[in-house]
Amino acid sequence: MAKLKACRDCHYLTNETQCPNCKSTSLSTSYTGIVVILPGRSPKDDPRKTSYIAERLNIDKPGKYALKVR
Ligand SMILES: [Zn+2]
C-alpha cells in the first residue's frame, strides 16, 4: 500500500498533493490510526447520523481518514 498523506484540515487520506475533499494543500505524512467511513444506504446519508466516529471526527463524506494528524 502506498503511503498516504493525511489532510490537516479534514483528516482525509490521499495520494495526491491536494486534498480532494476540502482542496487544502496542507497534507501530513505523520498521522496515527486510519478510519474508514463506509457509505450509507443512500449516498446522501450523513455518516454523522449513524456513526459515532464520523460524528466525533465531524466527517460528512464516506472515505478514508486519519485518526490523528500531527
Ligand atoms: Zn481536507
Side-chain angles (χ1 to χ4, degrees):
M1 193 172 121
K3 180 74 177 166
L4 294 164
K5 282 170 276 183
C7 173
R8 284 195 182 91
D9 293 323
C10 69
H11 291 196
Y12 194 88
L13 288 171
T14 180
N15 283 319
E16 286 154 59
T17 50
Q18 186 188 43
C19 173
N21 193 34
C22 70
K23 309 295 173 208
S24 165
T25 51
S26 179
L27 305 171
S28 170
T29 51
S30 183
Y31 55 87
T32 47
I34 292 177
V35 169
V36 179
I37 303 295
L38 300 170
R41 262 174 248 124
S42 148
K44 281 179 191 150
D45 274 356
D46 190 334
R48 285 173 294 191
K49 278 189 224 156
T50 50
S51 165
Y52 172 77
I53 304 234
E55 197 197 320
R56 286 296 304 270
L57 297 177
N58 203 24
I59 292 167
D60 60 3
K61 238 195 273 177
K64 262 190 259 168
Y65 295 84
L67 211 50
K68 245 188 196 158
V69 183
R70 278 175 295 203

